[in-house]
Amino acid sequence: RKLSPDFLRLERQVLVNNEKLDIAGINELNKAEVSVNDGISFNLLSGFVAYSESERVLVDASISTNVINFIPLNGAPSKSIIIGPKAVSLNEAERKQRIFHDIKQYFISASSDDSYCAFLYRDNSGNYSVLMFDWQGNPIRRIAIPNAATAFCFDSERHLIYTLDSSSDQLYRYCY
């Protein structure tokens, strides 16, 4: 991933043996752009990526929207999942950023292994949860996190999740 020269788009590429793959789902994501190069709006394009080599699926979750994109690299159709009642568009996120001078961050952190990908998510009410999906985009579980968090990781053997809130330096452990 890299910013376009005009700082209005995020250019995503998948390289295999230094050869760029032409993938429809990624080409669609690359069309999204902010309206102005003001030195901060391009941050709205930031996000988290997870990849499963065995499933050959790329997952992209933008920090400023509530949409997770599952993009198979084998040419199968992509799948987008909206978390909440309606999708937050990039234009809406940009408008809010201009009004409130802050970027509303929906997706905060990501984790994955061979069987799942998971995202730390904050909803419009400020509630935190970890959203787990299989690599086809099917929900596995939603784990409510009662405290603010900026990062997380799993201990799958003990069914524990650890979260960190970097603003308070608090580390929490939860059973799931």
Side-chain angles (χ1 to χ4, degrees):
R1 301 189 307 173
K2 67 178 183 176
L3 282 172
S4 64
D6 59 7
F7 294 96
L8 298 179
R9 287 180 293 103
L10 186 64
E11 298 173 350
R12 299 162 181 87
Q13 298 179 358
V14 175
L15 301 174
V16 176
N17 298 324
N18 283 332
E19 295 288 325
K20 181 180 172 187
L21 296 181
D22 186 30
I23 300 167
I26 291 177
N27 295 337
E28 284 301 308
L29 287 177
N30 286 343
K31 292 178 183 177
E33 69 178 34
V34 293
S35 64
V36 63
N37 178 0
D38 60 2
I40 192 165
S41 289
F42 67 84
N43 288 304
L44 294 169
L45 299 167
S46 299
F48 297 96
V49 175
Y51 176 69
S52 169
E53 188 169 353
S54 61
E55 299 289 329
R56 293 189 39 88
V57 173
L58 182 74
V59 183
D60 183 277
S62 167
I63 66 166
S64 61
T65 70
N66 59 342
V67 179
I68 302 172
N69 298 291
F70 288 79
I71 305 163
L73 301 186
N74 64 4
S78 297
K79 180 177 187 178
S80 295
I81 297 173
I82 299 167
I83 310 300
K86 68 177 189 125
V88 175
S89 71
L90 191 56
N91 290 338
E92 182 181 347
E94 190 174 13
R95 184 179 54 76
K96 288 179 180 178
Q97 182 262 323
R98 275 198 219 103
I99 294 169
F100 300 111
H101 305 287
D102 189 22
I103 295 173
K104 165 68 169 110
Q105 190 170 345
Y106 289 93
F107 294 103
I108 299 165
S109 185
S111 178
S112 64
D113 74 5
D114 290 340
S115 60
Y116 72 85
C117 59
F119 299 91
L120 181 59
Y121 175 76
R122 183 177 63 194
D123 65 20
N124 285 324
S125 300
N127 299 314
Y128 291 80
S129 57
V130 172
L131 309 176
M132 292 180 72
F133 298 89
D134 67 18
W135 288 102
Q136 288 71 47
N138 301 308
I140 296 173
R141 71 172 28 124
R142 181 182 201 136
I143 304 166
I145 305 296
N147 298 296
T150 52
F152 74 102
C153 68
F154 287 100
D155 178 343
S156 299
E157 287 181 17
R158 295 183 186 98
H159 294 280
L160 297 172
I161 184 168
Y162 295 89
T163 66
L164 172 69
D165 179 9
S166 62
S167 62
S168 67
D169 281 337
Q170 294 291 311
L171 179 68
Y172 297 97
R173 180 179 72 184
Y174 307 101
C175 295
Y176 70 93

